[in-house]
Amino acid sequence: MGKVTATAERTIDAPVDKVRELVADYAETRPKLLTEHYRDYEVTAGGHGAGTEASWKLQATSKRVRDVAATVSEPSPGTLVETDANSSMVTTWTVASAGERSVVRIETSWDGAGGIGGFFEKTFAPGGLKKIYDGVLGKLEEIV
């Protein structure tokens, strides 16, 4: 069993403060960012930044659905960490300044399966999740 990591990144033509505010808004903005891969999204506590709790179903493939129950922390300004209570999955959103623009990075890691299943998971899951995150970042760019 090894660590599996998926990453997507996009430069957005907007100031870092505005993008950070939108990314931290789990109540209003986040539902607008989600692609068809997300179902049953619900904020169960908080709604903005650290302390937020939210749940959703992530349908990565036609057969693979993950129930996520995330708690959000903010270890530093511009970094939100979503820790899933149902698995080892941790997703980190980082919004950094790039002059008058912002670089948004989404990185998810989890403990992968062992054996041949783990090999396939480590080989194919990061690319599939990156495509999903590219869609989310595209929607963020449209909203900004």
Side-chain angles (χ1 to χ4, degrees):
M1 175 166 76
K3 191 67 85 178
V4 181
T5 302
T7 305
E9 185 175 286
R10 182 171 296 204
T11 300
I12 296 180
D13 192 19
V16 71
D17 290 342
K18 180 176 184 174
V19 177
R20 284 180 178 173
E21 181 65 27
L22 291 171
V23 167
D25 180 7
Y26 286 84
E28 299 296 324
T29 303
R30 186 61 62 98
K32 296 174 187 173
L33 302 180
L34 302 178
T35 65
E36 68 276 4
H37 300 91
Y38 295 85
R39 296 192 327 250
D40 304 332
Y41 178 84
E42 179 183 13
V43 174
T44 55
H48 190 275
T52 296
E53 294 178 10
S55 62
W56 61 87
K57 292 184 186 334
L58 176 60
Q59 180 120 25
T61 67
S62 62
K63 295 179 182 179
R64 179 86 171 139
V65 178
R66 182 181 291 252
D67 286 313
V68 178
T71 300
V72 180
S73 62
E74 189 171 1
S76 62
T79 301
L80 295 169
V81 178
E82 301 168 356
T83 303
D84 182 16
N86 296 331
S87 71
S88 61
M89 188 169 75
V90 176
T91 299
T92 303
W93 289 70
T94 307
V95 182
S97 178
E100 294 184 16
R101 302 166 81 193
S102 301
V103 176
V104 182
R105 177 183 175 92
I106 308 171
E107 180 175 292
T108 298
S109 62
W110 66 95
D111 296 330
I116 191 73
F119 169 77
F120 284 106
E121 180 181 24
K122 194 166 191 128
T123 302
F124 297 109
L129 200 50
K130 180 185 184 311
K131 286 181 185 175
I132 293 170
Y133 288 160
D134 283 341
V136 169
L137 291 171
K139 288 186 173 203
L140 175 61
E141 191 169 37
E142 289 172 14
I143 288 172
V144 170

